[in-house]
Amino acid sequence: MNERLECITCGTRFPVDQVRYTCECGGLLNFERDTPRVGREVFDRRRATARAPIDQSGVWRFREALIDVDPAVVVTHPEGSTRLYERNGIWFKHEGENPTGSFKDRGMTVAVTQAVRLGATAVACASTGNTSASLAAYAAQAGLRAIVFVPSGKISAGKLAQTLAYGALCLQIRGDFDAAMRLVREACDRSGIYLLNSINPFRIEGQKTIVWELLQDLDWNPPDWIVLPAGNLGNTSAFGKALREALAAGWIDHLPRIAAIQASGANPFFRSFTGGFAIRHRVTAETVASAIRIGDPVSYDKAVAAIRVTNGIVEQVSDEELMSAKREIDRMGIGCEPASATTLAGLKKLRASGVMHRSERIVCVLTGNLMKDPDAVMRNADAAQIVEIDATIEAVERALQS
Ligand SMILES: *Cc1c(COP(=O)(O)O)cnc(C)c1O
Ligand SMILES: [Zn+2]
């Protein structure tokens, strides 16, 4: 069997045309295929000369190392091909430049393509907002019914508006994200609706391309560190898998280290890390960074493997630290949503503690767009920046002088 789903705990294999998210033993499933024999120059050529959407996509550009699917059924916007910015000696890969404003589009294009391939007619997820916006957009393109489970009153207006605009049914759960997650899993098991949370191995496949594309941005010369926010841990898992596969395929000759950053009010992974991963912690999550307000991360086991294989680390930052880092990123003219700013906040903390060094090459992954959470900007805005005046030139002159 070339393509298969494989249990990360007991190794049992399942065919890819079976709807399945976990093994009989309860273990998480990885999508696996034999190591692709494609050289990275194929990806470089596509990037330079792309015309077809499937080649322009920063996901499907790497298709030989993703699912093997007829290009005609691929549901792509296209997504990816985001920019890598260098500011003050630090690189920022801006995944907020994806079609719906977050990296979730990279996972969604693959998972919705898989949904189409399986003949699904309805798809669902639990979400803190970005997954639901992305699912709704890709489901709309594919003509699938979309149902999202969100914690009532806990997602930003921008994300909710996007989800509604793309036409999804929005179930506002009276509970937190973790409750919504448990509920959507049960609902999908009962109804046959296809589940598109990152427990779905095909989401992870698409998200691997964040790492492959940033390696490509750096001419396949790996940085010392890749820093990312950690919530439900799908992305941390995807980064570990991407690096492992890039090394096996010979696209890179050594692994960068992963630094996964959590908000201190939503830090179960950090707690487990500090105890050498002896215990899986669960917490009741609270942080301003709503995209990572998650207390019981679904992809825990895969993320532990990602940290171990890359000699990675997990750090936590306070809401004050991440909001001050966000202000810095915004003022660079780049901008991001609060969760994304944990990267710069974590980098500062890790430099201060001597874990990271000034000479090291570091890529921070900005996961979401500034416009996703305007409330967070308005709450933090400098009062002196907003001046209401009469419609006279004298009033303008007075305002400019003060
Ligand atoms: C989903 C998301 C995260 C967290 O990623 P996980 O895979 O859940 O760990 C971080 N930032 C943003 C903007 C997100 O949308
Ligand atoms: Zn198993």
Side-chain angles (χ1 to χ4, degrees), residues 56-350:
Q56 282 182 357
S57 166
V59 174
W60 297 101
R61 181 194 309 140
F62 302 100
R63 55 186 171 272
E64 287 81 359
L66 302 173
I67 61 174
D68 188 8
V69 61
D70 177 358
V73 309
V74 167
V75 184
T76 179
H77 264 69
E79 50 291 308
S81 300
T82 59
R83 273 159 290 217
L84 182 71
Y85 300 99
E86 200 250 76
R87 296 286 187 278
N88 307 323
I90 302 166
W91 278 297
F92 296 91
K93 180 70 171 164
H94 205 339
E95 289 297 304
E97 295 177 346
N98 272 291
T100 76
S102 84
F103 74 84
K104 299 299 197 302
D105 293 342
R106 292 194 187 248
M108 212 49 83
T109 182
V110 177
V112 168
T113 297
Q114 174 67 7
V116 170
R117 196 159 73 146
L118 290 169
T121 55
V123 291
C125 70
S127 176
T128 59
N130 282 335
T131 303
S132 61
S134 184
L135 176 147
Y138 282 82
Q141 184 171 341
L144 304 176
R145 184 167 182 230
I147 305 127
V148 308
F149 292 56
V150 299
S152 189
K154 299 283 187 186
I155 81 169
S156 80
K159 298 176 188 182
L160 181 60
Q162 271 186 298
T163 306
L164 296 173
Y166 293 127
L169 171 66
C170 211
L171 301 179
Q172 301 207 298
I173 310 299
R174 296 190 195 99
D176 61 10
F177 170 83
D178 301 292
M181 186 69 232
R182 286 191 294 273
L183 205 55
V184 75
R185 285 180 74 166
E186 194 179 336
C188 286
D189 284 344
R190 285 182 180 212
S191 64
I193 295 169
Y194 192 53
L195 180 61
L196 289 184
N197 276 99
S198 54
I199 194 167
N200 183 317
F202 297 95
R203 280 271 312 278
I204 304 292
E205 286 309 290
Q207 290 172 206
K208 291 186 311 193
T209 63
I210 302 169
V211 166
W212 292 344
E213 191 175 273
L214 78 80
L215 291 169
Q216 187 175 32
D217 292 333
L218 297 172
D219 287 326
W220 302 99
N221 183 11
D224 295 293
W225 292 93
I226 300 176
V227 191
L228 82 163
N232 215 14
L233 301 180
N235 226 17
T236 306
S237 305
F239 282 29
K241 191 166 189 281
L243 289 170
R244 184 159 52 75
E245 293 178 3
L247 191 66
W251 303 335
I252 52 173
D253 58 12
H254 69 278
L255 294 178
R257 299 175 72 185
I258 290 178
I261 318 293
Q262 295 212 288
S264 50
N267 65 354
F269 194 47
F270 172 76
R271 290 186 194 203
S272 296
F273 171 77
T274 53
F277 292 124
I279 301 168
R280 176 172 177 175
H281 287 276
R282 292 173 174 83
V283 305
T284 301
E286 194 45 80
T287 165
V288 287
S290 58
I292 51 173
R293 192 186 289 143
I294 294 171
D296 184 12
V298 163
S299 294
Y300 175 81
D301 291 325
K302 289 183 183 178
V304 170
I307 296 299
R308 288 202 167 126
V309 76
T310 63
N311 186 27
I313 55 154
V314 186
E315 182 55 279
Q316 64 172 355
V317 295
S318 68
D319 280 2
E320 294 72 44
E321 288 169 321
L322 74 90
M323 284 309 288
S324 136
K326 171 176 153 53
R327 193 184 177 86
E328 222 176 290
I329 295 165
D330 293 350
R331 294 292 168 97
M332 290 172 189
I334 296 177
C336 65
E337 70 166 279
S340 311
T342 57
T343 54
L344 181 61
L347 180 157
K348 285 172 182 286
K349 208 162 169 176
L350 290 165

